[in-house]
Amino acid sequence: MALTYTPIATVKVGSGGAANIEFTSIPATYTDLVLKLSARTDRTSTTNNCFIQFNNNTSTVYFNRNLQGDGSSATSSSDASVAEAYIGAVVGNTATASTFGNLEIYIPNYASSTNKSFSSNQVNENNATAAVSNLVAGLWANTAAITSLKINAVSFNFLQHSSATLYGISKG
């Protein structure tokens, strides 16, 4: 089965930074969605957690399971939230200069009338001895088609040169 990735939109953060990265008016013409994010935040830390919100909805529950590792140790966690879902972390402002965290989110059957699952795969490096990786499996307990999504780093801004591209996937 051939897959076709079609860019729907790209957001590039300018010199003033941005509190979130948002995609609106997502067409229902594809089978799945993929979001690719390369980002750095102004948080005074080497990492900063990122979250996703669908359709600006804060009244239904988001669930996720997270597996994180750095090459020498691993941790796992789970969470439920009514506001947004954890999707991974990107580098903060005290990480090695000019490094960015990379994150990919896959959302199958985003236009269906069932609850929406998603997965994310994230990696950060800090020119140190280890890179940190997160794998997240999540669920948005809502049957509405996804028409918008917002990525934020809660209380911090994405820095200039952060970017995200949303792709629609067609199965042929």
Side-chain angles (χ1 to χ4, degrees):
M1 176 180 329
L3 298 178
T4 302
Y5 283 60
T6 303
I8 296 172
T10 297
V11 174
K12 295 180 181 178
V13 176
S15 62
N20 57 61
I21 294 175
E22 191 166 3
F23 295 91
T24 60
S25 303
I26 299 170
T29 55
Y30 302 99
T31 306
D32 306 330
L33 297 173
V34 168
L35 177 76
K36 294 186 180 269
L37 173 71
S38 175
R40 183 179 176 96
T41 71
D42 62 0
R43 180 178 182 200
T44 306
S45 175
T46 55
T47 62
N48 193 26
N49 292 338
C50 286
F51 298 85
I52 194 167
Q53 186 180 83
F54 300 111
N55 298 354
N56 291 315
N57 186 296
T58 60
S59 63
T60 51
V61 177
Y62 296 86
F63 299 93
N64 67 54
R65 307 247 332 137
N66 174 41
L67 176 62
Q68 178 179 349
D70 64 7
S72 62
S73 65
T75 60
S76 65
S77 62
S78 61
D79 190 28
S81 168
V82 294
E84 57 204 353
Y86 174 76
I87 53 172
V90 296
V91 296
N93 203 26
T94 58
T96 303
S98 301
T99 60
F100 285 71
N102 297 292
L103 194 139
E104 179 178 283
I105 305 162
Y106 177 71
I107 308 164
N109 302 313
Y110 74 101
S112 72
S113 59
T114 60
N115 289 335
K116 307 302 180 284
S117 64
F118 62 91
S119 60
S120 67
N121 183 3
Q122 164 266 311
V123 66
N124 288 327
E125 60 94 7
N126 191 24
N127 291 345
T129 57
V132 176
S133 180
N134 274 308
L135 299 173
V136 177
L139 176 75
W140 179 44
N142 193 301
T143 59
I146 295 172
T147 58
S148 70
L149 58 89
K150 179 171 34 176
I151 306 294
N152 71 61
V154 182
S155 302
F156 299 95
N157 290 319
F158 291 107
L159 293 176
Q160 181 179 14
H161 306 299
S162 295
S163 65
T165 300
L166 181 65
Y167 295 89
I169 299 177
S170 300
K171 295 179 182 174

